[in-house]
Amino acid sequence: MAGQFRYTVWDPWMIISQIITLQAVFYVSLGLWIVAFDFLADSPRSLDQIFSYTELQANHSGGKLLIAAFICNALNCSLGLWYVVQRTKLCLDFSCTVHLLHLVGCIWWNLSLPHTLTWWCINLVCLTFMCVSGEFLCMRTELRTIPVSMASKTDL
C-alpha cells in the first residue's frame, strides 16, 4: 500500500463497537448534564427531556437549561470522538451517525417525526459543535505525532 499515510483495514466489528460506544457516551453524558442542570433548577427529571421534541423549547427556563445540556453534551461527545475514533476524517461520519440514531430514538419515543424547528436547529448546532471540535482535537493529535525538525542538516 505505497503512497498512503496509514494502513487501513475494513473492520466492521470495530466500527460497530465504536458506534455503540459513542452512542453510550452521548446518552450517559447527556443524562449527567440534564441531571446536573435539573438539580440546579430544582425541576423534575424525565426521559422526555432526552427524547421528546416538545421539551426542547427556549420559551421557559427548563427548556433553556435543556438546550445548554445538549450543547455541553456535544462538547463532551467530541472528547469521545477524540478518544474512540482518533481520526479526523471519520469525525463527521460518526457525529452524523450518533445524531441519526438519536433521531430514530426520538421518532420511536414520540411515534412521529419531530416537527418543531427548535429541535432541528439545536440538533444541527450540536452536530456541528461535536464534529468541528472532535476534528480539532483529532487533528491536533495527528499533527503532533509527525516530527518536524527545523535543524540544519550539517552531517551530509
Side-chain angles (χ1 to χ4, degrees):
M1 296 188 88
Q4 281 191 327
F5 177 67
R6 269 179 215 206
Y7 179 72
T8 57
V9 176
W10 170 249
D11 188 4
W13 292 111
M14 184 182 77
I15 294 170
I16 290 169
S17 64
Q18 286 174 326
I19 290 171
I20 291 170
T21 303
L22 283 174
Q23 205 67 37
V25 167
F26 179 82
Y27 285 121
V28 168
S29 173
L30 182 60
L32 291 174
W33 279 112
I34 289 173
V35 166
F37 285 143
D38 283 347
F39 180 74
L40 291 174
D42 197 31
S43 61
R45 288 164 288 287
S46 164
L47 280 178
D48 280 340
Q49 291 177 309
I50 296 176
F51 294 111
S52 180
Y53 56 86
T54 57
E55 293 286 325
L56 210 58
Q57 299 294 325
N59 56 5
H60 61 286
S61 63
K64 290 177 186 173
L65 288 175
L66 193 57
I67 290 170
F70 269 86
I71 291 172
C72 292
N73 182 49
L75 298 176
N76 277 4
C77 288
S78 67
L79 291 173
L81 280 173
W82 178 49
Y83 187 74
V84 173
V85 177
Q86 300 177 350
R87 295 287 308 273
T88 303
K89 291 171 73 173
L90 299 176
C91 286
L92 178 62
D93 299 337
F94 280 96
S95 298
C96 289
T97 302
V98 165
H99 282 83
L100 180 70
L101 291 174
H102 178 63
L103 172 64
V104 169
C106 289
I107 290 171
W108 177 76
W109 185 265
N110 296 301
L111 301 176
S112 68
L113 196 65
H115 61 271
T116 60
L117 184 61
T118 307
W119 188 92
W120 290 101
C121 289
I122 292 302
N123 279 287
L124 186 63
V125 166
C126 290
L127 170 68
T128 305
F129 279 174
M130 180 179 169
C131 180
V132 170
S133 55
E135 284 179 350
F136 173 76
L137 292 171
C138 290
M139 191 177 301
R140 283 189 55 169
T141 303
E142 287 176 359
L143 290 177
R144 184 178 44 192
T145 59
I146 301 172
V148 177
S149 175
M150 298 302 287
S152 63
K153 296 185 179 188
T154 58
D155 59 345
L156 295 175

